[in-house]
Amino acid sequence: MGKKTVIIGGVAGGATTAARLRRRDESMEIVVFEKGGYISYANCGLPYYIGDVIKSRDALLLQTPQGMKKKFNIDVRIYSEVIKIQPDRKCVTVQNLETNETYEEVYDNLVIATGSSPLKPPIKGIDGEGIYTLWTVPDTDKIKAFAEEKHPQRAAVIGGGFIGLEMAENLHRAGIEVTIIEMQDQVMAPIDKEMAHLLHENMQMNGVEVILGDGVSSFEDRLGTTQITLGSGKVVTADLVILSIGVRPNSILAKEAGLQLNERGGIVVDEYLRTSNPDIYAVGDVIQVENFVLKNPAMVPLAGPANKQARICADNIAGDKKKYHGSQGTSVAQVFDLTAAAVGVNEKTLKKMGRVKGEDYETVLINQKSHAGYYPGAVPLTLKMLFDMEGKILGAQIVGQDGVDKRIDTLAVTMRLNGTIYDLEELELSYAPPYSSAKDPVNMLGFTAHNVLDHMVSFIGWDEMDELQEPGEENTAFTILDVTEEMERLVYQIPGSYHIPLGELRGRMGELEKTRMIIVYCAVGVRSYNGARILMQNGFENVKVLSGGTGFYKSMHYEDREDEEDSEEMVKDDIKAAQVKAESVPAQKEMKILDCCGLQCPGPIMKVNETLGEMEENQILQVSATDMGFVRDIEAWCKRTGNTFVNSERKDRENLVYIKKGTNVCQGVSQADAVSLPQGKTLIVFSGDLDKVLASFIIANGAAAMGRPVTMFFTFWGLNALRKTEKQSVRKPFIEKMFGAMMPRGTRRLKLSRMNMAGMGTKMMKKVMKDKNVESLEELMQHAMASGIKLVACTMSMDVMGITREELIDGVELAGVASYLGDAEEANVNLFI
């Protein structure tokens, strides 16, 4: 008779160990104890069965005790709980849960595969009716029965981990109104906050309420519903509550047997998966593993590592000396329209360890398409990678709609084989337009990371740029440079940015100060990188590229944009528009169809603009696009260009948008959806006379006090009002120098247009203003800039009159006529002074 191995627990760790052991040793006696009724089931599929994606319950049951006996000659005893391990006697005490009989079972080798259990903290009312955890098949049956009997309308998911998000999606798919409550400031802990923000935005787009940074204080039953009181005092009411707060290892047996545990209760094992007792092994969620990247202890409760550990454990029991080399934590989850995946270490972990970005590690964040952009169905991918200064890959995260899994797997394989960012550049991956691009997103990560280490580019994060922008203060140390096209700027622009399209940058670099930090941005990052290279090779030493471009930046500020753009009535109108039935949209033959799927920015907007230009007034344009942010962008564009956003809908992986050329109200659309009247004020200050410049600033300050955006465009003689009073040491050609000497330098030398009387009239005017408590021109200018009034100097006039940027007061923007006209289009008052 061969040796005897006893295994405590089934599912991934225990059942796999048993099957592998039998394949290695036909003579071994193998006994598996499982306290539940199911020896092997697909616990990762449980949420999808509740959501009716997986139709058959039996499909979740991977193996039965009878099947294990017949196929592998393994003695599987269900409803049998091991209640004690006695290492000195090499036996376990077992209780038959059906008969309550207790007996002992001896072993030569013991495997602990007891897994983990959902956390249920001691919160008041947590054991109430309608509150469930999801971990086992019986849990699933209870939730399924409750849903079918009670028909819940509102559900609350406590916790934003993998199971919580999958349950939220499946409950939402079943037509239930869902609220996610997460104590931390983000969902999905394995990814960094900015990547999780993409998920937050998408969940809210799908109508799911997401409450972050707020924990549960109590649960209370109220006539069949559960009232959830949060730490902030907010109250959420739900018919069904799913607890997904986290898991803890089931290690009480190991602890009582005197085996070594870590501070989190995980069983400590060596590289061969042996515990502190050489005859006892452990695998799965219950053990402490080595972090593959950092080489420090970690807890990684995932099915993939558990299966691999089980195989190695079985081989070692059979006589091998195989090592488990640690867990990378490779994970993936479907979250509504998006897939989120991660491998290795995230940035918040590195920061907690005291690692410093730029010294110990670097990051790159890029936007790519899932496959060739010209092939239908291409969708955006946001990829983030962390690497050290030698190019070792520390971790990666990807969020997108398609192609996420194969990219994270490629990165995981590269890391497992100790590959570097330089290896990513050389990976020869399969390419055809429906599947990828000639330069796959994984290759692009390598190229970008290499550029960072070679100092070809320096990135700045959205949060880092926000920290630089102090509210109400002028940006004197840096310039945010927008290199997108004018049409894109109509859709969105970062506040305070300066606009030079990429194609004009080489000819207009003189408008930028080389002493300032220049932060370049575009839609996704490609043009901004090209713009940065132009500047860096022309003497600009402090140039940064905004990571992820405006597509990513807008997602990071989606809550701010909602606050700015949507009043309560506008929200109601938006909802009304979104509910327009299919019959409200004109028949197909009346519409023009435009496919923008997969187009790179500014492709979709440019295509829409071009197509509308060829259409008749009141004709409908249907646009399909895969970009998740396209709907919000096109709404803003319509409002600014005099067209009507009719309706939008999500179909498969595409956004369908209906636009009516012109601003007449369409069927099913309220007047509030028509283009709103512009409220801005623009002033062209052509004159350099004191009284006229005074009048300009008085009008401008009054408009600003009414909360209106104001632009003052100074051209020709008006530029003298913006000159510094002190003479500046600037080298100029002789004629320009003489021209400058003849013109007044700054506000103190401006003269009245009439009754100047060799300067006497001007002095009298200033004295009267002081006596009457009228602010001086200098004070009016200070108030204007403090109120956010944009002072713009015409670059063409500056060139003609020989005035340089150094001679102008701080806070003045340099721009051309096109920039001014852009603001004028948003104005209902335009004055020429």
Side-chain angles (χ1 to χ4, degrees):
M1 186 70 179
K3 288 188 175 182
K4 180 178 181 179
T5 297
V6 169
I7 301 172
I8 308 173
V11 198
T16 301
T17 301
R20 176 67 174 176
L21 261 177
R22 175 57 70 224
R23 284 189 285 264
R24 287 298 307 268
D25 190 338
E26 181 65 23
S27 66
M28 181 177 288
E29 183 181 356
I30 305 171
V31 181
V32 179
F33 293 107
E34 170 58 51
K35 70 176 181 179
Y38 302 91
I39 187 62
S40 181
Y41 58 90
N43 53 354
C44 295
L46 299 181
Y48 299 98
Y49 172 60
I50 291 175
D52 213 29
V53 176
I54 297 173
K55 304 293 184 181
S56 171
R57 180 180 181 277
D58 291 341
L60 299 171
L61 308 178
L62 306 180
Q63 195 59 264
T64 64
Q66 296 78 12
M68 292 285 282
K69 181 66 175 177
K70 184 175 181 180
K71 291 180 181 179
F72 301 107
N73 191 28
I74 294 172
D75 182 4
V76 177
R77 305 177 194 177
I78 57 175
Y79 300 115
S80 297
E81 181 178 6
V82 174
I83 57 176
K84 188 175 184 180
I85 300 171
Q86 302 181 59
D88 54 336
R89 297 177 54 211
K90 296 187 71 171
C91 72
V92 295
T93 304
V94 185
Q95 181 177 11
N96 185 317
L97 299 180
E98 292 181 308
T99 65
N100 285 326
E101 174 194 1
T102 300
Y103 61 95
E104 291 183 349
E105 192 81 25
V106 297
Y107 62 81
D108 293 302
N109 290 295
L110 177 68
V111 179
I112 302 175
T114 46
S116 57
S117 298
L119 284 173
K120 288 189 71 174
I123 300 173
K124 179 184 176 184
I126 198 168
D127 294 318
E129 185 180 355
I131 303 176
Y132 299 95
T133 59
L134 178 62
W135 202 246
T136 65
V137 174
D139 293 339
T140 309
D141 293 336
K142 291 176 185 177
I143 296 171
K144 192 87 168 174
F146 180 90
E148 292 173 354
E149 180 184 347
K150 303 291 186 180
H151 303 290
Q153 300 298 307
R154 298 163 297 178
V157 176
I158 315 300
F162 286 95
I163 292 179
L165 295 183
E166 289 167 350
M167 276 301 303
E169 179 185 356
N170 280 281
L171 291 171
H172 179 266
R173 185 183 285 116
I176 299 173
E177 184 180 320
V178 178
T179 298
I180 297 173
I181 301 168
E182 169 56 57
M183 183 181 291
Q184 304 303 318
D185 60 359
Q186 67 164 89
V187 300
M188 278 201 75
I191 66 177
D192 286 313
K193 184 178 178 180
E194 68 268 24
M195 300 294 281
H197 232 46
L198 299 172
L199 305 180
H200 303 160
E201 178 187 35
N202 187 255
M203 286 188 284
Q204 294 203 14
M205 286 174 62
N206 278 279
V208 173
E209 183 182 11
V210 181
I211 300 174
L212 301 171
D214 210 350
V216 176
S217 293
S218 67
F219 298 96
E220 184 178 352
D221 181 70
R222 291 287 184 91
L223 300 176
T225 64
T226 301
Q227 180 175 290
I228 308 165
T229 303
L230 306 184
S232 64
K234 181 181 177 70
V235 175
V236 176
T237 301
D239 306 310
L240 170 65
V241 177
I242 302 295
L243 299 177
S244 183
I245 300 171
V247 298
R248 55 176 173 77
N250 296 326
S251 58
I252 186 66
L253 281 173
K255 180 179 180 181
E256 292 176 348
L259 301 182
Q260 183 183 351
L261 307 182
N262 67 12
E263 66 278 1
R264 296 174 60 184
I267 300 174
V268 176
V269 296
D270 64 12
E271 55 197 345
Y272 304 107
L273 299 169
R274 288 181 306 200
T275 68
S276 52
N277 184 300
D279 297 319
I280 303 177
Y281 294 77
V283 297
D285 292 4
V286 75
I287 69 169
Q288 170 187 285
V289 297
E290 181 182 79
N291 182 299
F292 180 80
V293 176
L294 300 175
K295 307 304 180 186
N296 61 357
M299 300 291 292
V300 183
L302 293 172
N307 275 280
K308 295 167 185 63
Q309 292 156 16
R311 182 182 177 90
I312 292 171
C313 176
D315 287 346
N316 288 339
I317 292 173
D320 291 348
K321 295 288 287 186
K322 292 184 177 179
K323 297 179 180 180
Y324 182 69
H325 295 289
S327 296
Q328 294 170 268
T330 311
S331 57
V332 65
Q334 180 178 309
V335 185
F336 294 88
D337 299 306
L338 299 175
T339 298
V343 63
V345 185
N346 55 39
E347 189 170 9
K348 59 192 172 190
T349 298
L350 292 177
K351 288 180 176 178
K352 286 179 182 177
M353 296 175 63
R355 305 285 180 93
V356 179
K357 185 177 179 180
E359 297 179 11
D360 302 310
Y361 73 94
E362 280 286 3
T363 69
V364 292
L365 189 149
I366 62 174
N367 281 309
Q368 294 288 299
K369 293 292 184 181
S370 57
H371 59 247
Y374 57 81
Y375 188 87
V379 290
L381 292 173
T382 300
L383 305 95
K384 178 178 180 179
M385 183 172 70
L386 301 93
F387 51 97
D388 68 16
M389 311 312 283
E390 283 72 49
K392 177 185 176 183
I393 305 169
L394 304 176
Q397 301 153 42
I398 309 177
V399 174
Q401 298 174 66
D402 191 23
V404 172
D405 53 343
K406 74 173 183 176
R407 271 64 185 225
I408 208 70
D409 288 343
T410 303
L411 289 161
V413 169
T414 305
M415 291 173 63
R416 178 61 69 167
L417 299 178
N418 295 312
T420 66
I421 63 166
Y422 307 109
D423 294 307
L424 296 183
E425 296 180 283
E426 297 182 13
L427 287 181
E428 189 173 334
L429 303 170
S430 61
Y431 161 57
Y435 303 106
S436 184
S437 302
K439 292 183 287 189
D440 188 86
V442 172
N443 296 134
M444 293 303 298
L445 278 176
F447 297 148
T448 309
H450 194 163
N451 285 339
V452 169
L453 293 184
D454 278 358
H455 306 291
M456 290 274 287
V457 65
S458 178
F459 288 100
I460 186 170
W462 66 276
D463 51 343
E464 295 172 296
M465 190 176 76
D466 283 354
E467 288 178 7
L468 292 175
Q469 293 181 289
E470 293 293 334
E473 293 189 10
E474 178 194 355
N475 300 330
T476 58
F478 65 95
T479 297
I480 302 174
L481 178 63
D482 178 356
V483 295
T484 65
E485 298 301 316
E486 187 68 41
M487 193 61 62
E488 295 172 88
R489 197 165 167 85
L490 285 175
V491 174
Y492 182 79
Q493 57 184 276
I494 293 177
S497 60
Y498 188 73
H499 185 222
I500 303 179
L502 180 62
E504 302 176 20
L505 185 56
R506 289 182 177 88
R508 293 176 58 187
M509 284 186 291
E511 300 172 19
L512 304 171
E513 291 187 24
K514 292 186 176 181
T515 57
R516 287 188 172 206
M517 178 198 295
I518 309 295
I519 302 173
V520 193
Y521 78 84
C522 65
V524 296
V526 177
R527 286 170 293 170
S528 53
Y529 169 62
N530 291 329
R533 292 304 302 154
I534 293 171
L535 295 174
M536 292 170 73
Q537 295 178 83
N538 281 276
F540 290 81
E541 298 180 355
N542 192 4
V543 181
K544 305 281 187 181
V545 172
L546 179 63
S547 288
T550 55
F552 190 74
Y553 185 85
K554 286 184 287 186
S555 289
M556 298 303 100
H557 293 82
Y558 73 95
E559 292 173 317
D560 299 337
R561 294 180 70 203
E562 287 174 357
D563 292 341
E564 292 171 4
E565 297 174 5
D566 297 327
S567 67
E568 183 177 349
E569 289 303 315
M570 287 176 68
V571 171
K572 292 178 181 178
D573 290 335
D574 287 343
I575 294 172
K576 181 178 179 180
Q579 292 174 339
V580 173
K581 303 299 181 183
E583 57 267 24
S584 299
V585 179
Q588 184 86 355
K589 63 181 181 181
E590 300 177 22
M591 288 192 295
K592 194 171 183 68
I593 308 298
L594 177 62
D595 184 2
C596 291
C597 292
L599 285 183
Q600 296 278 1
C601 275
I605 295 294
M606 300 293 284
K607 277 284 189 183
V608 169
N609 183 62
E610 176 185 331
T611 305
L612 283 174
E614 300 170 353
M615 292 169 55
E616 299 177 1
E617 196 77 10
N618 296 326
Q619 191 176 359
I620 298 291
L621 173 66
Q622 176 191 290
V623 188
S624 57
T626 46
D627 184 359
M628 296 297 293
F630 177 71
V631 175
R632 184 188 293 275
D633 284 350
I634 202 66
E635 282 192 76
W637 183 85
C638 286
K639 291 176 182 178
R640 301 191 69 171
T641 57
N643 295 291
T644 305
F645 177 86
V646 180
N647 185 26
S648 68
E649 59 180 319
R650 183 100 175 132
K651 189 174 182 180
D652 296 326
R653 293 186 172 182
E654 296 180 4
N655 293 299
L656 295 181
V657 172
Y658 300 90
I659 303 168
K660 179 179 179 182
K661 182 172 180 178
T663 58
N664 293 337
V665 179
C666 296
Q667 180 183 3
V669 181
S670 67
Q671 185 66 42
D673 286 308
V675 177
S676 59
L677 291 175
Q679 297 296 318
K681 318 296 176 188
T682 51
L683 296 87
I684 301 175
V685 185
F686 176 86
S687 172
D689 296 328
L690 173 63
D691 44 349
K692 295 178 181 178
V693 176
L694 269 170
S696 301
F697 275 98
I698 290 171
I699 294 169
N701 279 317
M706 297 172 64
R708 303 295 189 249
V710 181
T711 297
M712 301 180 72
F713 188 75
F714 294 80
T715 183
F716 285 96
W717 314 113
L719 288 170
N720 292 315
L722 302 181
R723 295 178 71 190
K724 294 177 181 176
T725 303
E726 303 79 19
K727 186 175 182 179
Q728 302 297 305
S729 178
V730 180
R731 298 187 64 179
K732 298 183 184 179
F734 177 77
I735 295 179
E736 291 185 11
K737 188 173 183 180
M738 293 297 294
F739 203 66
M742 291 188 291
M743 293 188 299
R745 193 167 58 240
T747 55
R748 296 177 185 174
R749 299 191 181 184
L750 299 183
K751 300 176 182 179
L752 291 176
S753 61
R754 296 187 182 184
M755 296 177 62
N756 184 55
M757 298 179 296
M760 287 298 296
T762 302
K763 291 181 180 178
M764 292 171 60
M765 171 67 76
K766 290 181 178 179
K767 183 180 186 305
V768 171
M769 290 173 64
K770 183 176 181 181
D771 293 342
K772 298 290 186 180
N773 292 321
V774 177
E775 289 182 321
S776 66
L777 177 55
E778 291 78 10
E779 290 172 325
L780 287 169
M781 291 177 72
Q782 290 174 1
H783 285 172
M785 287 189 283
S787 301
I789 293 174
K790 189 189 300 183
L791 307 185
V792 181
C794 174
T795 51
M796 181 275 294
S797 300
M798 290 174 65
D799 288 339
V800 170
M801 303 183 72
I803 297 175
T804 65
R805 185 180 190 116
E806 291 79 4
E807 294 178 274
L808 300 182
I809 62 175
D810 295 334
V812 175
E813 298 181 21
L814 306 188
V817 174
S819 177
Y820 163 76
L821 291 175
D823 288 344
E825 286 184 356
E826 289 297 300
N828 58 8
V829 171
N830 186 32
L831 301 178
F832 186 96
I833 301 176

